[in-house]
Amino acid sequence: MKIFAKEFLAHRKIIFIFILAIFLPSLIVGYLSLSTFTQRREAVKNFLQSNLWISGEAALKSIESTLLEQEKNALKSENFIHLIQLNKDGQSLCGSSEVLSDIAGELFLLDADYQLIFPETGSEYASVFQWERDISNSEFARFFQEAEFAEFSQKDFTRAADLYTESTLVAPSKQHHAAALDGLGRCLLSSDKYDEAYEVYVELSENFGQFQSKAGHPYGITAVFQLFEIDRRRNKEADSVTNLLDLYKRMRNGVWLLNASVYNFFIEEIETILNIPFNEGKFPEIQKSYQDLQKQQSPYRQTLLFTGFLEREVILKLVEKLSLSRMTGEVVPGRLLTTSENDYHLISYAGLTDIQSGQTFYGGFYWDLNSLKKQILPKVLEDLTKDSGLIFQIVNEDGQNISTGIEEPTSEDFLILSSHIFPLPWKLLVSHPDIIALERTALKENFFYGVLLAFIVALMLFGAVLMMRDISRETETTRLKTEFVHNISHELKTPLTLIRLWGETLQTKKNLTQEQKKESYEIITKESERLSHMINNVLDFSRIEMGRKEFNFKKGNLSEVVLNTVESYRYHFEKKGFTFQTDIVSDLPEMNFDGEAVASVLVNLLSNAVKFSPKKREVTVKLFRDDGNAVLQVADKGIGISQNEVSKIFKRFYRSKNNVVSESGGSGLGLTLVKHIVDAHGGRVEVESQPGKGSIFSVILPISTRG
Ligand code: ADP
């Protein structure tokens, strides 16, 4: 009990010392260093983040100033003066690429009444042919009306042609001249004078192309259709196709100002006519240039789309904004964002007061957001990154980078800034590569220190377990040794007491019978043998412990040694009431062994069999051959050994904790010696045992190993 208590206390002390002296300090140090790392990292991160604010705002300003610069360049008065001059010169006003070659976007111009005056396209309402009233009493009107009468009522085309020719000579304007030429052409055509008619229409298309017929179509277009008709009648198909293709080209380039429906009507008309010969495989070269043309965008069509968009989406909103700002005074540049078909459109506008004296115009700039996304902003961001070392991205509402269109991974610490000046739905995302790196390092460090800490803790626990095991072993050995000393003293005392008692009896009692004397001598001899057996065991054990145990191997007959040992004990056992059976073969081959040691093995096994068989007193000794081994078996029907003790009984000082064992004397060394001796002979010991039923100890010795 005392030993147990001591053991328990020792364990607790060790655990206590382990926790106090090693485990806790290590944990505290680990925790402190981890938290210091974290604090230091946080400090650096905070510093970088405050830097981010300053640099981010500066970057946003820089982006805004780039855009403002572009806006300023676009809305410069010179650009618009240039456009008004173009208008005056009667040149085509579509396609402003020349004006804005260095700016990505398109210009437009409104007059003081918010009417779109650039880009100019044909009005949706066909202009009414109004000149009769002004010239009603003139010579021209007389000739012209007579000509029309001859042409339409009398069907006298020759006279009508003459009258139209007269009209051209007195035409008060180019417009009137054109109308007379048109009539002349018609009459010549009706009188099948193709060559003359052709000349008239060439002149009409080349010199009067911009003037409009009564139907509101430019003569430049209708005259070419007449030329086409003449060529067709004269079987000059190639010429007719070439002329039509040329007209097609000019219309697409916007030589005449047409409204969208007139433009689409004539373009479709020409395409239908041209497709007939092309589908028949005629004029492959002309077809090729026609197809090349179709692959390119039509500048005039673009202009039509643009003005259409302005009229639908922009001008109304602009009117609202401009009327408001008119009330407040000067019109400063402003911006407008519109959305259509999932696309954003950014418009900048400004009032222009200095381009024509006394008149106000409103200039507008339609931003090319695509080029802003793909070229201008990436370039600005690249420069900013170079200067500041920060990472910039412009992202849309879904967080996608607008120039790449994909959501790029960034660190969790970033700054999002929106432009105060431009109403774009985009935002500037700023992050610091060091923060990202810091975060990655932090992750790595945390992982590394975590693993290290876990490893150290595991190592400590492992050490502690080993220590505990060693200590409990040591405690167990100490306990066993104490028990051993106690047992051995008791063991030595009993035979010595008996020897002394019987010696004294022989010495003092003179009248002992012969029988009694014999018994005394026998007891003295037997107890001395027991004593010497015990002392031999202890001596052998101590020799083994000190590594000095030597064996005296000799060739001999194992059966003889076993038989002699058994016989010398038979009387002793039988006297104690044991049935003692033997089955010892005599034809074993000669073996190399230490006879004394093997005898001591057998004596130890026999002595245990007797000691631990309190009730059923049957012991059997067998010696037989099994393949290349000699097997010495000692079986009893005693208390047996539990399964979990079988491996322990060979350990020094070990004794089972039950009454039979503790009441029987013993040192716990017998089986240790047995195992040592058998090992030295290259053999092994096997135990079959069942508690309460008995045990069989088999010593298996190889016959030939030492032969
Ligand atoms: P001792 O016999 O001196 O106690 P041993 O080393 O010979 O020491 O045996 C160790 C323990 O093994 C014994 O104390 C006993 O508990 C157990 N033992 C050995 N032989 C037998 C047996 N034949 N039957 C039951 N228990 C045995």
Side-chain angles (χ1 to χ4, degrees):
M1 192 60 202
K2 248 186 189 170
I3 290 169
F4 172 73
K6 258 188 203 164
E7 205 179 310
F8 179 68
L9 275 178
H11 282 187
R12 285 233 314 223
K13 215 154 110 188
I14 289 155
I15 293 170
F16 188 66
I17 288 171
F18 172 73
I19 290 175
L20 262 190
I22 308 171
F23 195 61
L24 261 184
S26 316
L27 273 186
I28 292 169
V29 169
Y31 171 76
L32 284 181
S33 46
L34 261 183
S35 70
T36 320
F37 277 133
T38 319
Q39 276 166 12
R40 220 179 298 156
R41 252 193 331 256
E42 281 301 310
V44 177
K45 204 163 129 184
N46 286 343
F47 171 73
L48 291 175
Q49 269 169 345
S50 58
N51 236 6
L52 214 59
W53 268 104
I54 300 164
S55 313
E57 284 290 346
L60 186 68
K61 282 237 158 59
S62 155
I63 291 169
E64 281 178 338
S65 73
T66 307
L67 298 183
L68 281 173
E69 182 71 12
Q70 174 154 359
E71 184 183 71
K72 201 175 122 202
N73 282 341
L75 295 179
K76 260 196 296 204
S77 295
E78 297 99 278
N79 296 336
F80 295 94
I81 294 172
H82 180 78
L83 293 178
I84 289 172
Q85 273 162 3
L86 275 180
N87 199 0
K88 271 189 194 150
D89 296 345
Q91 289 184 27
S92 159
L93 289 180
C94 73
S96 52
S97 54
E98 251 175 69
V99 184
L100 292 180
S101 56
D102 56 338
I103 298 167
E106 288 205 41
L107 292 182
F108 61 90
L109 185 64
L110 303 181
D111 64 14
D113 300 326
Y114 310 116
Q115 293 301 313
L116 189 62
I117 54 171
F118 179 85
E120 199 183 10
T121 54
S123 159
E124 279 302 319
Y125 311 100
S127 61
V128 184
F129 192 69
Q130 281 183 343
W131 45 265
E132 286 90 344
R133 247 177 288 136
D134 318 330
I135 50 142
S136 46
N137 294 320
S138 71
E139 212 182 349
F140 171 80
R142 253 197 342 272
F143 281 129
F144 197 83
Q145 277 158 11
E146 268 182 49
E148 279 184 328
F149 181 72
E151 184 188 356
F152 297 116
S153 304
Q154 300 174 327
K155 307 280 180 208
D156 182 351
F157 299 118
T158 320
R159 192 176 127 69
D162 288 344
L163 284 166
Y164 278 129
T165 312
E166 289 296 327
S167 315
T168 59
L169 298 175
V170 289
S173 73
K174 274 196 148 193
Q175 172 71 65
H176 298 95
H177 192 147
L181 276 180
D182 189 33
L184 176 61
R186 254 188 343 258
C187 293
L188 291 172
L189 200 58
S190 303
S191 12
D192 294 338
K193 291 177 183 158
Y194 296 142
D195 291 345
E196 285 169 56
Y198 197 87
E199 267 174 42
V200 170
Y201 281 121
V202 168
E203 195 192 345
L204 186 61
S205 81
E206 280 178 7
N207 297 333
F208 301 90
Q210 74 271 32
F211 296 107
Q212 293 188 350
S213 67
K214 281 187 180 175
H217 304 150
Y219 286 118
I221 298 173
T222 52
V224 175
F225 271 93
Q226 297 292 40
L227 289 175
F228 168 79
E229 181 59 23
I230 296 167
D231 276 335
R232 213 177 52 81
R233 291 195 196 171
R234 293 193 303 187
N235 290 326
K236 288 185 175 175
E237 209 184 344
D239 286 353
S240 72
V241 171
T242 314
N243 271 339
L244 221 51
L245 184 63
D246 185 51
L247 174 65
Y248 186 66
K249 218 182 283 179
R250 286 157 50 129
M251 280 183 66
R252 284 167 55 95
N253 286 337
V255 174
W256 304 287
L257 298 176
L258 306 171
N259 64 38
S261 53
V262 173
Y263 175 83
N264 289 336
F265 169 78
F266 280 112
I267 283 285
E268 274 169 30
E269 193 72 13
I270 297 172
E271 283 173 350
T272 318
I273 297 172
L274 285 179
N275 278 333
I276 298 169
F278 291 156
N279 286 345
E280 289 169 4
K282 290 180 186 170
F283 320 119
E285 276 183 22
I286 306 176
Q287 187 184 10
K288 175 142 194 336
S289 55
Y290 168 69
Q291 283 166 344
D292 289 347
L293 198 64
Q294 278 187 320
K295 277 179 206 148
Q296 298 157 14
Q297 275 189 344
S298 150
Y300 190 65
R301 203 180 118 75
Q302 290 303 108
T303 308
L304 280 174
L305 289 176
F306 182 45
T307 50
F309 161 75
L310 290 174
E311 273 154 10
R312 267 191 333 273
E313 310 277 344
V314 179
I315 296 178
L316 282 179
K317 286 180 195 156
L318 266 187
V319 170
E320 235 172 76
K321 293 205 167 214
L322 288 171
S323 321
L324 259 180
S325 57
R326 248 193 209 174
M327 285 195 270
T328 54
E330 202 191 338
V331 181
V332 287
R335 286 117 214 137
L336 184 83
L337 189 77
T338 67
T339 336
S340 67
E341 291 157 15
N342 296 332
D343 245 341
Y344 290 103
H345 308 279
L346 179 66
I347 308 282
S348 290
Y349 57 88
L352 308 165
T353 45
D354 52 348
I355 57 175
Q356 248 179 23
S357 57
Q359 281 202 53
T360 301
F361 290 91
Y362 299 105
F365 177 57
Y366 173 78
W367 290 82
D368 177 354
L369 293 186
N370 248 351
S371 107
L372 211 59
K373 276 186 205 171
K374 307 271 176 212
Q375 284 149 23
I376 299 169
L377 289 177
K379 171 98 197 33
V380 176
L381 295 186
E382 197 182 306
D383 290 347
L384 283 172
T385 301
K386 249 187 235 159
D387 293 347
S388 65
L390 297 177
I391 297 172
F392 297 100
Q393 281 179 32
I394 297 209
V395 294
N396 62 16
E397 290 150 323
D398 304 331
Q400 288 174 334
N401 183 328
I402 55 151
S403 51
T404 57
I406 42 173
E407 203 165 339
E408 287 171 24
T410 45
S411 83
E412 282 184 6
D413 295 279
F414 54 75
L415 192 67
I416 288 256
L417 299 168
S418 323
S419 165
H420 310 298
I421 302 175
F422 289 86
L424 282 166
W426 304 339
K427 290 186 164 63
L428 176 68
L429 189 149
V430 197
S431 57
H432 200 302
D434 287 351
I435 296 189
I436 302 170
L438 201 71
E439 229 122 75
R440 278 198 206 125
T441 323
L443 263 182
K444 268 192 218 154
E445 264 177 14
N446 282 354
F447 179 73
F448 176 73
Y449 287 114
V451 169
L452 201 70
L453 204 68
F455 182 70
I456 291 172
V457 168
L459 214 65
M460 279 177 172
L461 288 176
F462 182 65
V465 168
L466 283 187
M467 240 161 75
M468 295 280 287
R469 223 179 61 173
D470 273 5
I471 287 165
S472 45
R473 265 192 203 159
E474 225 24 69
T475 322
E476 176 69 4
T477 313
T478 314
R479 184 184 72 80
L480 291 173
K481 271 184 185 164
T482 316
E483 227 173 285
F484 165 75
V485 172
H486 173 80
N487 288 344
I488 204 80
S489 327
H490 179 71
E491 282 295 286
L492 291 174
K493 212 174 146 193
T494 319
L496 271 178
T497 314
L498 282 174
I499 292 169
R500 216 181 73 196
L501 195 79
W502 286 103
E504 276 172 9
T505 310
L506 282 175
Q507 215 177 14
T508 50
K509 289 198 175 165
K510 302 286 177 208
N511 52 350
L512 288 172
T513 61
Q514 213 46 30
E515 194 66 16
Q516 283 172 322
K517 276 183 187 168
K518 196 183 164 210
E519 195 188 355
S520 308
Y521 289 132
E522 265 175 17
I523 288 170
I524 290 172
T525 317
K526 195 193 80 190
E527 289 305 318
S528 323
E529 269 170 12
R530 212 171 112 186
L531 205 57
S532 79
H533 165 68
M534 203 170 298
I535 290 169
N536 275 344
N537 267 2
V538 175
L539 282 177
D540 273 353
F541 173 74
S542 81
R543 276 193 210 110
I544 289 169
E545 284 286 283
M546 289 189 289
R548 286 200 200 137
K549 169 82 182 159
E550 281 176 9
F551 292 95
N552 184 17
F553 289 102
K554 267 191 205 150
K555 281 211 167 185
N557 189 338
L558 184 63
S559 313
E560 219 172 83
V561 173
V562 171
L563 208 63
N564 286 342
T565 316
V566 165
E567 285 314 317
S568 65
Y569 276 82
R570 182 184 289 277
Y571 169 72
H572 179 62
F573 290 150
E574 284 175 352
K575 219 180 156 204
K576 279 196 164 183
F578 276 87
T579 13
F580 195 46
Q581 283 182 356
T582 54
D583 183 2
I584 297 160
V585 291
S586 54
D587 57 349
L588 279 179
E590 272 206 329
M591 286 169 65
N592 209 15
F593 62 94
D594 181 332
E596 227 175 89
V598 172
S600 133
V601 165
L602 184 54
V603 168
N604 271 305
L605 293 178
L606 284 173
S607 127
N608 280 348
V610 169
K611 265 201 292 191
F612 305 123
S613 299
K615 288 177 188 157
K616 221 176 175 189
R617 303 189 162 206
E618 286 174 36
V619 177
T620 311
V621 177
K622 285 184 186 173
L623 178 69
F624 55 92
R625 186 179 176 157
D626 180 24
D627 286 337
N629 297 318
V631 182
L632 173 60
Q633 224 169 47
V634 177
D636 63 57
K637 302 215 164 134
I639 56 170
I641 307 156
S642 67
Q643 205 50 42
N644 62 336
E645 277 194 311
V646 168
S647 60
K648 296 181 188 163
I649 54 175
F650 293 95
K651 287 185 182 158
R652 53 191 191 156
F653 309 128
Y654 185 84
R655 308 196 77 217
S656 288
K657 290 180 184 75
N658 66 53
N659 288 343
V660 179
V661 174
S662 43
E663 277 164 20
S664 72
S667 56
L669 293 179
L671 288 180
T672 314
L673 280 176
V674 167
K675 187 171 181 331
H676 187 81
I677 293 165
V678 176
D679 282 350
H681 280 75
R684 63 181 195 278
V685 188
E686 286 177 1
V687 185
E688 275 174 65
S689 186
Q690 259 187 309
K693 296 226 162 135
S695 321
I696 305 171
F697 282 78
S698 304
V699 172
I700 299 155
L701 298 172
I703 293 173
S704 58
T705 43
R706 294 177 187 271

